[in-house]
Amino acid sequence: VQMAESGGGLVQAGESLRLSCTASGLTFDAYALAWFRQAPGKEREGVAAITSSGKTTYYSDSVEGRFTISRDNTKNTLYLQMDSLQLEDTAMYYCAADRYKRAYYRLPLEMGDYGYWGRGTQVTVSS
């Protein structure tokens, strides 16, 4: 299984970015997926999740209303649209697929529920 994030970069506060995550080697449309992030000196935290069908989503309080998770099962691709970016959004962002091929994510989002990870893409927000 391989998962690869892209789309990170350096932006100013208030701007937008769209992250993508392409996956191979798994039955993409069978898995719940999630985005996590890790800022320097902090633990990795789950920020958004989506069911295998894409019909149900979850957002952490810190990104609710600003980020949108979506997926295109025909392209084996997961997305994270990030709007109104804030300095506190600066982090390495990772996509992840459920460890047990579950269609629905569990809450709270925990790293241990995800067995497949990308290497991450850096998002830096400047003032």
Side-chain angles (χ1 to χ4, degrees), residues 37-58:
R37 69 184 182 185
Q38 188 166 19
K42 295 187 177 181
E43 294 186 353
R44 195 172 298 188
E45 62 167 343
V47 297
I50 189 167
T51 55
S52 60
S53 67
K55 292 181 179 180
T56 306
T57 57
Y58 163 82

Side-chain angles (χ1 to χ4, degrees), residues 1 4 14 26 41 43 47 50 58 67 72 79 81 83 86 88-89 91 95 108 121 125:
V1 175
L26 76 171
E43 294 186 353
V47 297
I50 189 167
Y58 163 82
F67 289 12
D72 186 339
Y79 303 99
Q81 177 67 40
D83 298 321
Q86 303 170 355
E88 310 83 80
D89 296 318
C95 61
T121 186
V125 183

Side-chain angles (χ1 to χ4, degrees), residues 31-98:
Y31 287 78
L33 303 172
W35 286 98
F36 285 75
R37 69 184 182 185
Q38 188 166 19
K42 295 187 177 181
E43 294 186 353
R44 195 172 298 188
E45 62 167 343
V47 297
I50 189 167
T51 55
S52 60
S53 67
K55 292 181 179 180
T56 306
T57 57
Y58 163 82
Y59 301 94
S60 66
D61 289 344
S62 60
V63 307
E64 175 81 50
R66 300 186 298 118
F67 289 12
T68 304
I69 188 172
S70 62
R71 63 192 295 165
D72 186 339
N73 287 343
T74 67
K75 297 181 179 179
N76 282 17
T77 303
L78 173 71
Y79 303 99
L80 186 67
Q81 177 67 40
M82 306 186 295
D83 298 321
S84 302
L85 282 162
Q86 303 170 355
L87 297 179
E88 310 83 80
D89 296 318
T90 294
M92 186 72 79
Y93 284 73
Y94 301 88
C95 61
D98 189 270

